[in-house]
Amino acid sequence: MKVFILVDMEGISGVCLEEHTSAGTPQYEQARRWMTADVNAAVQGALDAGASEVVVLDGHGANSLYNLVYEELHEGAEYILGSPRGWYLTGLDSSFHCMLMVGMHAMAGTPRAVLEHTWSTARWHRCRLNGRETGEIGLMAAFAGSLGVPVTLVTGDQAACDEARQFLGDKVALACVKQGLGRYSAKMLPPRHARAEIRAQASQAVALADAATPFKVETPVSIEVDYIRNSHTDAIPTGPGVELIGPRTIRYTAPTVPEACYLIR
Ligand SMILES: [Zn+2]
């Protein structure tokens, strides 16, 4: 049983400040240790449930995609770190039985959601996948789904877990480690409880892998991104599959989700 783990930072236990997720601050140096501990808990949970191979992808865009603390990593997995490395889900292919998402956040605009955004806080206002308002959980689940891999765990705040349930149905295990009070505040589980919950739900997730169905969307695929400023769309060359459909909106169309994602600027 091969298990792929995608890790982001905003939904890690203990994280709620912008400084936690931005390299070069003392808070970031703390938060990357928490991220490593949450990942280690998920790896252990996957191994508890019989995973034979675990690959972890560091997917948070700070510090050149190298946020995990190398010397503290669990010995039962391998880790994809650093950049550039192509697209977001480097290393995932259809030989994996399931993908677990650790440290996720809700889509841009979600109320009481810790560090909510979709893709880029600085450039993206919101995003629709085939006309449906979608955040990173839905986009990445659809990407994995196009390779035939179901997402069976999401960890993060309550809002991220609710979003995962809406998009992925009941065959996904959830580990809620904090309740957002606002974008920069949350009621948190203490670290040991958070990690025990992640470990338990990661086990559950691996057990669900056979029963879960990959998240598939209709093809061809359209991804519409509303950017924040006209200057953001001004900077994007249009062409095949890349259309300006409003002053701040670009529509990307392609035969599959990964191909549509590759077009995104
Ligand atoms: Zn992130």
Side-chain angles (χ1 to χ4, degrees), residues 8-10 21 59-62 88 103 105 117 136:
D8 203 354
M9 199 162 191
E10 290 80 359
T21 61
H60 177 66
Y88 209 66
H105 53 83
H117 68 281
E136 289 176 37

Side-chain angles (χ1 to χ4, degrees), residues 179-260:
Q179 177 90 47
L181 302 172
R183 190 168 199 273
Y184 303 116
S185 57
K187 185 178 171 195
M188 314 258 190
L189 289 183
R192 268 200 285 177
H193 291 194
R195 287 155 202 161
E197 178 66 3
I198 292 168
R199 177 176 171 177
Q201 295 304 323
S203 268
Q204 193 62 37
V206 171
L208 280 171
D210 283 334
T213 44
F215 180 60
K216 299 261 191 201
V217 297
E218 282 201 25
T219 56
V221 171
S222 103
I223 299 176
E224 290 171 7
V225 179
D226 299 337
Y227 291 84
I228 293 171
R229 296 181 185 284
N230 291 14
S231 56
H232 296 139
T233 47
D234 290 345
I236 297 170
T238 52
V242 183
E243 253 177 298
L244 184 70
I245 59 165
R248 296 178 180 173
T249 304
I250 301 272
R251 182 193 288 143
Y252 301 95
T253 44
T256 65
V257 175
E259 288 167 284

